[in-house]
Amino acid sequence: QVQLVESGGGLVQAGGSLRLSCAASGTTLNYYTIGWFRQAPGKEREGVSSISRDDGMTHYAESVKGRFTISRDNAKNTVYLQMNILQPEDTAVYYCAALLGPTLTFIEELYDYWGQGTQVTVSS
């Protein structure tokens, strides 16, 4: 059974940093493109970043470009999202998801597995 578990969320002041982790069990993340999504209160879930399984290509939402960095450590079966210069509008539940294939996308229906999410709260 494939499970994704996010960690690293918390409360941080504006301008601060957090690093989220997405750890997998029951499978090897090498086979998957991994995406990070977030859902703020009262808003729809949106794509934040994704990293391809094959060549490590990355993709970012415009709102986080230059502030967030996605990376993967296949040896640890973990994907990370380094979030810097956090702003109150980054407050959301952050989810990681796994897509079996190389496609970089924010289309949620293409993702096969989802984690339960981790809360990130940025105070002003």
Side-chain angles (χ1 to χ4, degrees), residues 39-112:
Q39 188 166 22
K43 295 187 177 181
E44 292 189 355
R45 190 159 56 187
E46 63 177 357
V48 175
S49 183
S50 61
I51 184 165
S52 177
R53 71 170 190 184
D54 290 338
D55 52 15
M57 286 190 65
T58 59
H59 178 56
Y60 297 93
E62 286 296 323
S63 59
V64 305
K65 274 185 181 178
R67 300 189 297 124
F68 291 11
T69 303
I70 191 171
S71 62
R72 63 193 305 156
D73 186 336
N74 288 336
K76 295 184 177 180
N77 220 25
T78 301
V79 172
Y80 303 98
L81 185 68
Q82 177 67 43
M83 306 186 297
N84 298 328
I85 319 175
L86 283 162
Q87 300 300 315
E89 52 265 35
D90 295 317
T91 295
V93 178
Y94 283 71
Y95 301 88
C96 67
L99 183 161
L100 186 61
T103 306
L104 282 175
T105 181
F106 289 152
I107 300 176
E108 297 183 18
E109 291 77 10
L110 296 180
Y111 283 81
D112 301 285

